[in-house]
Amino acid sequence: MNGKIIKGLAASAALLLGTASASADAAPVRNIVLVHGAWVNGNGWKPVYDILVKDGYRVSIAEHPLTSFADDVTAVRRIVDVQDGPTILVGHSYGGALITDVGNDTKVAGLVYIAAHALDQGETEVANGKRYPSETSKTTDIKKTADGFLYLDPAKYAADFAADLPPAQARFEANAQELTAASVFSTPAGQPAWKSKPTWYAVATADRIINPGLERMYARRAHAHTIEIQGASHSVYESRPKEVAALIEQAAMHSAP
């Protein structure tokens, strides 16, 4: 076999290998875990869930108890553990603090924050909220039970949390809210996964629970691929599911396992 033929075969093999590698790189992550925040449960993810499932993703929703940061991390990690391969971890609100911790798991290929806390090591939501006060924090709408759980005044829930949801839906969620241990908001963060994992962020520009300026700081600091959803409340994952699902699918397409 002459030299030209050998070189030609080698070049063809290299091209085929390169094409296979490119195809592998382009293959999306198929597993997605959705993590809810405080004062809600996983049911709010259904509009996003429906879109992702229709588009062929395997979607799990982590139902964590909101009883302590450690309990919640354990519950979310349990769902990640049962995934059958690389996973995109998505957090809304306080759920962002959870994915920042659980995201260090080797199965997690990428992180998506939806109007969520992306804490750095040693930070707390309480301290960051004082640096960037939210509109709700300036009111007396957040109430506390005798045993240390926080909730939103049901009469104010719609305006504070879900201003862009249908009124009947917002009223239902106000009265179905999951009370949340106050301690979760003052638990210092550990090593943040966003320092080592590709990250995406959706800012809700009309958010009254987390200051949009704080959301932008989190996104900028994490070097996140960022979108801003204009006029969206803190319930952006319910009110604007198409935009949220599109961002998650972008993460799935570009987070190499």
Side-chain angles (χ1 to χ4, degrees):
M1 188 177 292
N2 65 39
K4 287 184 178 180
I5 294 175
I6 292 173
K7 287 181 181 179
L9 289 172
S12 296
L15 180 60
L16 288 171
L17 286 172
T19 302
S21 176
S23 297
D25 288 345
V29 175
R30 304 310 308 180
N31 297 320
I32 297 171
V33 173
L34 305 174
V35 183
H36 66 80
W39 306 324
V40 293
N41 58 38
N43 291 335
W45 280 114
K46 191 173 188 306
V48 170
Y49 170 93
D50 288 343
I51 294 170
L52 295 174
V53 169
K54 183 179 179 182
D55 290 345
Y57 293 91
R58 179 179 182 273
V59 187
S60 302
I61 297 173
E63 283 287 5
H64 48 92
L66 298 172
T67 50
S68 74
F69 185 75
D71 289 347
D72 294 341
V73 163
T74 297
V76 174
R77 184 171 287 124
R78 189 178 295 124
I79 301 303
V80 171
D81 285 346
V82 301
Q83 302 304 305
D84 63 4
T87 300
I88 299 297
L89 199 50
V90 184
H92 169 250
S93 191
Y94 159 64
L98 299 175
I99 73 169
T100 295
D101 185 302
V102 180
N104 290 298
D105 190 287
T106 56
K107 278 189 178 178
V108 176
L111 305 168
V112 184
Y113 292 86
I114 308 299
H117 289 282
L119 303 173
D120 202 349
Q121 189 160 10
E123 288 182 346
T124 68
E125 293 184 29
V126 169
N128 286 353
K130 289 179 179 177
R131 291 172 57 201
Y132 294 83
S134 70
E135 292 303 312
T136 301
S137 71
K138 301 171 187 176
T139 71
T140 58
D141 298 352
I142 300 173
K143 308 297 184 182
K144 191 173 186 178
T145 65
D147 60 346
F149 279 70
L150 299 181
Y151 65 99
L152 275 173
D153 181 344
K156 304 295 179 63
Y157 187 99
D160 287 330
F161 200 100
D164 53 357
L165 292 184
Q169 182 180 351
R171 282 195 298 273
F172 174 79
E173 293 189 7
N175 293 297
Q177 64 179 295
E178 299 280 348
L179 277 65
T180 303
S183 63
V184 306
F185 303 114
S186 58
T187 301
Q191 178 64 25
W194 50 259
K195 288 192 175 180
S196 59
K197 303 289 174 81
T199 301
W200 283 257
Y201 200 108
V203 174
T205 66
D207 198 331
R208 290 177 55 87
I209 297 293
I210 300 177
N211 187 322
L214 178 56
E215 295 177 13
R216 293 184 183 102
M217 185 278 280
Y218 285 143
R220 183 171 59 252
R221 184 173 66 182
H223 303 293
H225 307 273
T226 304
I227 63 170
E228 296 211 355
I229 303 180
Q230 300 299 318
S233 76
H234 197 58
S235 290
V236 57
Y237 66 119
E238 294 182 88
S239 63
R240 307 289 281 276
K242 290 181 181 178
E243 291 95 324
V244 170
L247 186 68
I248 294 169
E249 292 191 13
Q250 184 183 110
M253 287 297 299
H254 296 93
S255 295

